[in-house]
Each structure stands twice: as structure tokens, then as C-alpha cells.
Amino acid sequence: MAVAMGSPIFQSLKTETANSWAMDTARTAADPQYWWNTSGRDISNMLNEANYPEEVQHHFLIYFRNTICPQLGSRPDGTSIKSPVGWDGNPFEYSFELKSSAKAPAVRFVVDLSQLRPADNINPLSMATAQKVVDSLAERAPGFDNTWYHALKRWFCQSHLPTSEQQALIAKVGHQSTMAVGFDVYPRISAPGRLPIMGKVYFSPSFTAAAKGITSWQSTRLAILQLPDIDSQSNILQSLGLIENYLSDKPSEWENGARYLATDFVDPSKARLKIYMRHPGKSFDEIWDCYTLGGRIPGHEDDKEKFRDLMDLTSGTRYDTEIEKQRQPDQSPHTSRQKTTVIAFSLSAENQYPTPKLGIHPANFAPNDEIIARGLDEWSRKYEWYDGEKSIEQRVKSVFTHRKLDEETGIFTFIGIGRKDDPSKKGLSMQVYITPELYKTPRVE
């Protein structure tokens, strides 16, 4: 494996790591150095590519090294249980966030902190390791508030059940990760001792759905309705009602498309509730219909052709043409590894309509990651997002050095696009989701 020099901040910190987690390693039998040398390197490269100030990079990476890495357990091997976050089972998904109104990208990532390496066979749905990281955010993240987190945790966590019942739920759901934690890395430090981040949490509704014999949508909806003082949040309730009204016209299996319910670690008056839904439709028009909830979310027609172009360019083909081919007996060779489109609806106190975001999976049709990267760059130039500096292809190649982009698909997972927080504002944001493939290619040096 070729290793580029990458981030100078990572290189400067590398010499300090040997003793930083000695006590945690002895206590947990974890391998934090492995996670630091792989995911730590990746994230430091991303921060470097996004031109974050060195002080911010240094401050955040020390936190990542000392707090997150020790909670990730041992390095992946043949006995490691897979996380649903990375397509290959690894616990990370990173993203560059791009905006039509801003030149510099932002860095975000999600990590599954469930105890999977090795697995907790007594309490497999335990959130104990994730809670340690949440506790660290409570101490150091600006504006931290856990009101909604605690309410959602009570609803979604099933670790109080006997081991046999937890194992039965895992067998039904197909994985054992109740929760993941997300981090938006800010380009500045708000105050001494504070972290340059906003934390988020993503709950899977599937375990409670399986325990109660309801759909994952019903589990998500009921979780929202039991939040403290939710009756005073009229816009959130109206938005929730629009989604429910749309689903009521669809086949019942659509209600099992709810994948995550996410919220921010901030005061409920400022927090969002984000519902991630798998979309079973195939054609672009079917996807667009869901994106606008059948026209219930107004004012998005100006974005329609931009989205269609994005799907075509990142797939390296005409999206609807490929969908039509798959309706024929001689199906595309990519069909066996397809992922469904994901549409996220953000609910907030400020907006009477949900803010939708489309998440496409270009690897369904693209032959390799290089085609996806070049499609993103072509789209960025066409719609005047390109800032004249590094292309997306160049940035991603600088982050990952374990293989070439033209070898296969797998690094790019989803491309998310939509309006940022307020559906009435026409500025778009895009999230380029990438994953380090650490189960497929552990990168053991």
C-alpha cells in the first residue's frame, strides 16, 4: 500500500501517539493505534484538503485520537461483526459538504461506536461505548443539549432486554447497531477548551419496530410524538403529518423504508429531526415524486433538471435508460449490488414544510469510482460550483491512497443534494459521502 505524506498535522501528531492511550488500551484490549493510522489519517487528509486552519485540525485530531479511537475496539479481521454504516461493514462514513454559495468544502463524518470488535455477547445492543463519546461532547461541544437524545434513546434502546431477546431482535433486523454518532467539523474554535464540532446522533428505528411488531416508519413517528414538549412544535408536527399523508397512499411495504432518525445535540428549539427513508421506486420521476412528497413540498421545480443531470453524470450513463434495461430479463451486471435511493426529510421548528435531501448511489451503474468523481466535477463546472482550485477527484485521491479510483466502485457511497435547512431558500448543498473500505482493505502496515 502506497502511503502519501498527506496532512502535515497528522504527521506532527503521529510521533505523540504511542503513550496517549496506553491506559485505555490496557483496560479495553482495543487497538486505537490502528484506527488512528487509518481513519485518523483519512480525516486529517480531508481537513487538510478542505483548508481548515491548522489550529482547528490539531485541536480536533487530538480529540479524535484520544477519545474516539479507543472506543472502536480491535482492528478488523475475519471475526469482526459488520456495521450498517459502511457498505463493507466498516464503522465510518465521511463526507465533504459543498455549497453553491461557498468555496471551501466542510468535513463531516459518522461513526458506529457499537461494540463489534469483539462483540459483546452478553449485552449486544449496549450503547455503552457510544455513550462515552456522547459524554465527552457534553463536556466540550459548544451549545450541547441532550434533551431529545435522552428521549430518543429511551425509545430506541433495547439493551434492557434479556440476552436471548436482544439476539432475536438482531436476527430480525440483520445488524446490531442501534445508534451512530455524527460530527460536523467547524472551521473555527468558538472558545478556549471547546471542540470545533457539532454532534449528531442517528438512531435505527428497526429494533423498536421489531420489538413492538410495527413498521420502522411507525417506530420513527411514535418516537417523535413522545419527545418532550413536542405538542408546542407545530411546524414539526405539520411536516410529520405531510410525510404520513404521503405514505398513506403508498403500498404498506413503503413504511419499512425508514432507516434512521437523526437529531442534533443542541437545544430542541434549534434542533432538526431528520428522517432517512429508503425509496423503493426506480425511475427518476418516481424518486422526484417522493422528494416533493407528491407535490406537498412546493417550490422545487427549479432543481429537478439539476438533480437529473447529477444522476446521469455520476452514473456515467443515462440513469433512466439503465433503469429501463433492468426491467428486461437480461439485467445489468450491477443489479446484484444495487442500493436503493435514500431521501432524507429534515423537520425543524422554523419551517412548515420538511426540507428534503436526495441521496443517490451512483455505484449502481458507474463502472468505477473515477467515473463518479469526474461526473461530480463535470456537474460542478456546469452549474458553476467549481472554485477553480482542486477538483473533487483530486481531493478524494489525496484522501485515500490504499487503491486507485479507476479500479472499482466502493469509495463513493451516496451523493446527497438538497436545500440547506430551509426549503424556501434556493441555495443547494451537496454531501459527497465516501467510506474507507476498512473491512474490505484493512490497510495493515
Side-chain angles (χ1 to χ4, degrees):
M1 178 189 76
V3 178
M5 286 298 292
S7 163
I9 303 299
F10 178 82
Q11 297 301 323
S12 69
L13 287 173
K14 192 173 182 181
T15 59
E16 302 174 13
T17 62
N19 297 320
S20 295
W21 41 55
M23 186 177 299
D24 279 333
T25 301
R27 185 169 61 247
T28 65
D31 189 359
Q33 188 165 353
Y34 168 79
W35 297 104
W36 170 246
N37 286 334
T38 53
S39 57
R41 185 193 302 272
D42 294 342
I43 292 171
S44 66
N45 286 343
M46 291 181 71
L47 294 170
N48 189 54
E49 286 298 312
N51 297 318
Y52 276 65
E54 289 190 358
E55 180 188 17
V56 171
Q57 294 186 48
H58 189 272
H59 202 58
F60 175 74
L61 289 171
I62 288 176
Y63 169 77
F64 182 89
R65 181 193 67 185
N66 294 349
T67 303
I68 296 177
C69 289
Q71 306 307 326
L72 289 168
S74 60
R75 66 183 62 194
D77 61 27
T79 67
S80 299
I81 293 178
K82 291 185 176 182
S83 163
V85 169
W87 68 265
D88 64 336
N90 90 83
F92 281 98
E93 185 173 60
Y94 320 136
S95 68
F96 283 119
E97 182 180 33
L98 313 170
K99 297 180 183 178
S100 57
S101 59
K103 288 187 176 182
V107 173
R108 315 187 317 174
F109 68 94
V110 172
V111 58
D112 180 357
L113 294 158
S114 306
Q115 190 171 325
L116 305 177
R117 296 164 302 275
D120 182 342
N121 293 322
I122 304 300
N123 195 8
L125 294 179
S126 170
M127 297 185 185
T129 49
Q131 187 61 51
K132 291 178 183 178
V133 173
V134 172
D135 291 342
S136 74
L137 293 177
E139 295 175 358
R140 301 181 61 191
F144 181 90
D145 188 288
N146 59 12
T147 303
W148 278 2
Y149 164 73
H150 277 309
L152 294 177
K153 183 180 179 183
R154 284 193 299 269
W155 177 260
F156 288 124
C157 182
Q158 302 297 325
S159 62
H160 61 283
L161 296 174
T163 300
S164 60
E165 294 184 32
Q166 291 186 47
Q167 294 287 9
L169 291 178
I170 291 167
K172 288 181 180 180
V173 172
H175 64 81
Q176 63 183 67
S177 300
T178 304
M179 184 182 90
V181 181
F183 298 83
D184 291 1
V185 186
Y186 292 149
R188 65 188 60 84
I189 298 169
S190 63
R194 293 292 180 179
L195 292 168
I197 57 174
M198 181 178 75
K200 299 179 286 189
V201 62
Y202 299 74
F203 285 101
S204 168
S206 300
F207 296 97
T208 297
K212 294 182 178 293
I214 56 179
T215 67
S216 59
W217 161 251
Q218 290 169 335
S219 175
T220 301
R221 176 180 171 273
L222 291 171
I224 294 172
L225 293 178
Q226 57 87 48
L227 289 171
D229 300 319
I230 195 63
D231 289 344
S232 65
Q233 300 273 14
S234 59
N235 279 340
I236 287 178
L237 294 176
Q238 176 174 313
S239 293
L240 185 67
L242 290 175
I243 300 171
E244 184 176 21
N245 186 259
Y246 179 76
L247 290 176
S248 68
D249 294 334
K250 301 299 177 185
S252 58
E253 57 266 23
W254 281 49
E255 288 205 2
N256 277 317
R259 187 182 182 207
Y260 287 112
L261 175 61
T263 194
D264 311 306
F265 284 112
V266 296
D267 187 274
S269 64
K270 300 177 182 178
R272 302 162 298 169
L273 291 165
K274 208 163 191 177
I275 303 169
Y276 291 79
M277 300 285 295
R278 293 186 181 94
H279 183 260
K282 295 292 186 181
S283 73
F284 177 79
D285 286 339
E286 290 174 314
I287 292 168
W288 183 258
D289 182 75
C290 185
Y291 181 84
T292 64
L293 294 178
R296 293 169 176 83
I297 306 175
H300 286 262
E301 284 303 312
D302 289 349
D303 300 333
K304 187 172 183 178
E305 291 311 310
K306 295 177 185 178
F307 289 16
R308 192 194 302 270
D309 274 353
L310 182 65
M311 295 176 80
D312 287 346
L313 290 171
T314 56
S315 298
T317 184
R318 297 291 296 180
Y319 178 84
D320 274 341
T321 300
E322 290 299 318
I323 287 295
E324 188 57 35
K325 286 180 183 178
Q326 289 188 11
R327 301 184 194 276
Q328 309 303 318
D330 184 16
Q331 294 188 333
S332 161
H334 291 271
T335 303
S336 62
R337 55 183 174 86
Q338 276 206 342
K339 289 185 179 292
T340 57
T341 299
V342 172
I343 300 176
F345 296 100
S346 181
L347 286 56
S348 68
E350 289 80 17
N351 302 309
Q352 60 179 319
Y353 297 106
T355 304
K357 182 173 75 174
L358 176 65
I360 62 173
H361 184 66
N364 284 344
F365 305 116
N368 58 59
D369 285 313
E370 187 173 75
I371 294 295
I372 297 171
R374 292 180 177 177
L376 283 166
D377 287 327
E378 185 176 347
W379 188 93
S380 296
R381 290 185 176 93
K382 179 175 181 178
Y383 292 102
E384 301 180 346
W385 283 39
Y386 181 55
D387 62 6
E389 297 186 8
K390 279 192 172 184
S391 66
I392 294 170
E393 180 182 2
Q394 289 171 319
R395 293 187 194 279
V396 174
K397 282 181 175 179
S398 295
V399 171
F400 295 117
T401 58
H402 65 283
R403 70 167 174 87
K404 295 180 179 179
L405 295 184
D406 64 2
E407 292 179 5
E408 58 184 332
T409 57
I411 286 176
F412 288 94
T413 55
F414 287 90
I415 309 298
I417 187 167
R419 298 186 184 178
K420 185 68 175 177
D421 298 331
D422 185 347
S424 67
K425 295 181 179 179
K426 293 191 175 183
L428 293 173
S429 71
M430 179 190 294
Q431 288 75 41
V432 179
Y433 294 98
I434 49 182
T435 194
E437 303 180 305
L438 291 176
Y439 271 38
K440 179 177 180 290
T441 309
R443 302 190 231 164
V444 178
E445 297 181 9

